[in-house]
Amino acid sequence: LMKGSIIDTERVCRPLANIVETAILNNSCCNVKGCLPDESFEAVVDVEMLMTEMLPVAMAESNLKSFRAGYQIINTSVAMFFSEAMVKDCQSMLNPLIEEHSKLRAKHCIENDLEMKTDGNLVPLVKVANAIGSKYPDLALLDAERDIVAMSNGRCWEAEEGQFDGVLIEFCRRKLLSDEFKRKCNRAVKAEVSLLKSVRHGLSVSSKTGGAIHRENVGASFESSFRNLCHLLQLYYKSIESLGLKAQGVEGGDCIKAKELEVDLLRGLGSCLAKRITEFCIFKSEDDTETGALHFNMSKKGDADYASASTVDYPVFELKCSQSGGDVLKHLRKSFPGSAGIMLSEMWGAIGSNEGLSGFIQFMTDSCLSLVGVPFSLLDKKTEKKLVAHRREGLLHRLEVSRNEEEVASCTVLLLIQQMKNISIYGTDLARSGLVLLKGDKKIPAAVTEDIHNLFDGDSTLLESVKKYAAAKNSKSLAGLLKG
């Protein structure tokens, strides 16, 4: 029809331009086909030509860029226009849905002892469609007579050839189902499974009396978290020396003091490791009367899952005792048989003395096999490479679901220092200090460090842009993000 035809721009295109411009202004969408003057535009090719070639002529020049940045769905049933702002808003709605689904999916895998596969990791299409329909009721009304649950088959993101399940479902499939979305879903489920295993396998002082965890499961779970903590302790200890050296000569680098960082690591991650070992020894002990007097006090808060590679802030634990006049080291020596009590006492004594990490690590290397039946797990190059990669993946997941300015800024600094400087550090406070290393690197754009600094100060408008910086693998790709 359009070929060789003269289109009355005022009669045909002006009304369409008005509703499209209204959709752009309201960050919404509109059904252009409902405003066509007659049935002459039933052919899809005619509507496509009208939208791409004729409609822009009738629009205000100020709206042309926004129009071209929008998205269209055109078929025999509809000719929908979605504003760029609406598309981005819908994409941003995916993160909380991913987080919610990943928890349910991980719980299902753990409770049914299922091997984690990618099948089922995607957020069900019906959940995404319902969430968007609630936010944009006008879009949902276009499919009011359709059964969203039935047409999405609960989970079916892939449509059969020629199938059209309505505007809302079609929009979800075309604009929200991406490789990035799939990656986020898989990563989130993997992280939640890891977290649940850690929590499920974690021990408290009273866990033995509860009788809910079998001894063999406790041993296997302890060994897993124990090994993680051993590796992380060595990774960060190795990085502290490198960090101190790189901070020398950098403006503001004098705030990074290696000795103080060693003490902080010993009191934080070191006490987490000591707590896990002590809990395991208490679990194995047959003397409830003596060990029941022991309890842990958290003198500094941190992440709940402190055995995870993606932990940012480590809590600081202190072992307390309600007997022996409060002398916990003395009580340890008399509460556990043989050399176990002596070694536990020396372990907690080393943490309290703040003597240094090298001595603590050497003591753990010499004592753990006798104390818990598992040797202190040494960090070799192959294991370190896997740990660093796993840590990056975990931190990226934290970024994706976080809306907290300080957490996003901290994780971004930790990731950039790991990628750009080959140094693994932890902690919100150290991330603030470590920012000076990035500022002192001429290869890293000043705009990047400035945005991170401002995000630390609470500028929430920078959340999404700073998250993008964190995914950069080198300074070249970081600079490319700014150009993009």
Side-chain angles (χ1 to χ4, degrees):
L1 173 68
M2 295 284 284
K3 292 181 179 179
S5 299
I6 298 175
I7 303 298
D8 187 338
T9 304
E10 194 64 28
R11 179 176 174 228
V12 176
C13 298
R14 176 56 59 188
L16 303 185
N18 289 339
I19 65 168
V20 168
E21 289 173 333
T22 300
I24 293 172
L25 181 64
N26 295 331
N27 299 333
S28 186
C29 61
C30 60
N31 184 9
V32 174
K33 194 159 188 177
C35 296
L36 292 175
D38 50 42
E39 298 180 355
S40 302
F41 293 92
E42 285 190 350
V44 172
V45 65
D46 287 342
V47 179
E48 288 176 343
M49 187 176 294
L50 178 68
M51 292 286 286
T52 56
E53 298 182 16
M54 303 302 299
L55 182 57
V57 176
M59 294 183 67
E61 187 174 348
S62 59
N63 288 322
L64 284 177
K65 183 177 179 181
S66 297
F67 172 69
R68 295 191 175 106
Y71 186 72
Q72 300 173 26
I73 294 178
I74 301 174
N75 57 32
T76 55
S77 301
V78 296
M80 291 294 302
F81 170 80
F82 300 86
S83 69
E84 180 186 22
M86 178 183 171
V87 173
K88 288 183 176 180
D89 181 50
C90 291
Q91 290 170 340
S92 70
M93 291 168 64
L94 292 176
N95 281 343
L97 294 175
I98 292 172
E99 184 175 11
E100 177 188 1
H101 175 69
S102 66
K103 294 180 186 296
L104 295 174
R105 172 67 176 163
K107 185 172 183 288
H108 175 73
C109 289
I110 293 293
E111 290 179 347
N112 294 279
D113 198 24
L114 300 175
E115 182 181 351
M116 197 194 76
K117 298 180 179 179
T118 55
D119 293 344
N121 288 354
L122 292 186
V123 180
L125 176 54
V126 65
K127 284 190 175 182
V128 177
N130 283 335
I132 293 174
S134 296
K135 180 76 177 286
Y136 296 94
D138 289 345
L139 179 58
L141 284 174
L142 292 174
D143 297 327
E145 296 181 0
R146 298 175 185 266
D147 184 348
I148 290 180
V149 175
M151 66 183 165
S152 66
N153 295 322
R155 294 181 182 273
C156 185
W157 278 93
E158 302 293 342
E160 296 179 5
E161 187 175 354
Q163 176 182 348
F164 179 68
D165 290 320
V167 178
L168 181 53
I169 293 296
E170 192 72 9
F171 171 75
C172 292
R173 284 172 173 157
R174 291 194 188 187
K175 290 304 292 179
L176 304 185
L177 181 62
S178 62
D179 290 340
E180 176 72 4
F181 171 64
K182 294 175 182 178
R183 182 183 63 80
K184 284 184 177 182
C185 289
N186 289 328
R187 178 187 286 165
V189 173
K190 184 177 179 180
E192 288 297 333
V193 167
S194 176
L195 176 60
L196 279 181
K197 284 182 177 179
S198 177
V199 173
R200 183 188 189 190
H201 295 155
L203 298 172
S204 65
V205 173
S206 61
S207 63
K208 187 176 70 170
T209 58
I213 307 177
H214 293 95
R215 188 173 291 268
E216 59 271 21
N217 288 337
V218 171
S221 61
F222 164 76
E223 186 173 348
S224 175
S225 59
F226 169 76
R227 184 171 57 251
N228 288 343
L229 289 169
C230 290
H231 292 160
L232 288 165
L233 184 66
Q234 295 168 85
L235 176 69
Y236 294 135
Y237 177 47
K238 175 183 175 182
S239 294
I240 284 174
E241 184 178 359
S242 299
L243 184 65
L245 291 174
K246 288 186 181 292
Q248 294 177 7
V250 176
E251 184 178 353
D254 54 352
C255 66
I256 299 175
K257 298 178 173 61
K259 189 62 180 178
E260 292 181 4
L261 295 178
E262 277 194 40
V263 173
D264 181 77
L265 183 59
L266 178 60
R267 294 184 66 246
L269 199 159
S271 72
C272 292
L273 176 58
K275 177 177 181 285
R276 197 52 70 88
I277 290 172
T278 307
E279 287 175 330
F280 187 65
C281 290
I282 290 173
F283 181 84
K284 294 193 302 178
S285 172
E286 297 179 358
D287 192 345
D288 291 336
T289 304
E290 294 291 345
T291 59
L294 297 169
H295 62 277
F296 296 98
N297 176 56
M298 187 189 293
S299 60
K300 180 183 177 182
K301 293 183 178 181
D303 295 354
D305 183 20
Y306 54 77
S308 168
S310 59
T311 297
V312 173
D313 291 300
Y314 288 95
V316 174
F317 291 105
E318 297 173 346
L319 185 60
K320 301 292 185 179
C321 178
S322 59
Q323 296 179 12
S324 305
D327 188 339
V328 68
L329 301 184
K330 177 182 177 181
H331 193 78
L332 284 171
R333 288 192 292 270
K334 77 172 187 176
S335 298
F336 294 90
S339 61
I342 297 174
M343 287 187 284
L344 286 171
S345 176
E346 291 178 352
M347 179 180 68
W348 283 102
I351 293 173
S353 67
N354 296 331
E355 290 181 354
L357 266 172
S358 60
F360 179 76
I361 291 175
Q362 186 59 55
F363 171 78
M364 300 300 285
T365 304
D366 297 338
S367 306
C368 283
L369 183 58
S370 300
L371 187 57
V372 294
V374 183
F376 185 82
S377 188
L378 297 175
L379 183 67
D380 55 34
K381 289 184 178 180
K382 183 178 179 181
T383 305
E384 181 178 349
K385 186 177 181 180
K386 288 182 179 180
L387 178 61
V388 169
H390 183 53
R391 180 174 181 265
R392 182 173 188 270
E393 186 175 297
L395 288 173
L396 284 172
H397 172 65
R398 287 187 66 152
L399 276 175
E400 288 169 358
V401 300
S402 178
R403 301 299 300 170
N404 179 276
E405 292 88 352
E406 187 175 58
E407 181 179 26
V408 170
S410 297
C411 288
T412 300
V413 173
L414 301 186
L415 284 163
L416 290 179
I417 288 181
Q418 178 172 294
Q419 291 298 119
M420 312 292 174
K421 305 295 182 181
N422 198 28
I423 297 176
S424 298
I425 62 173
Y426 69 94
T428 302
D429 292 338
L430 186 52
R432 286 179 177 272
S433 302
L435 186 57
V436 301
L437 291 183
L438 301 178
K439 288 182 177 179
D441 191 333
K442 295 180 180 179
K443 294 181 180 179
I444 298 176
V448 171
T449 54
E450 186 67 22
D451 283 351
I452 297 173
H453 179 85
N454 291 335
L455 186 60
F456 266 127
D457 288 343
D459 187 350
S460 59
T461 62
L462 297 169
L463 270 173
E464 296 305 320
S465 57
V466 170
K467 284 184 180 183
K468 292 179 181 178
Y469 300 154
K473 292 187 176 182
N474 50 53
S475 56
K476 185 177 180 180
S477 61
L478 194 59
L481 287 173
L482 290 175
K483 294 179 180 178

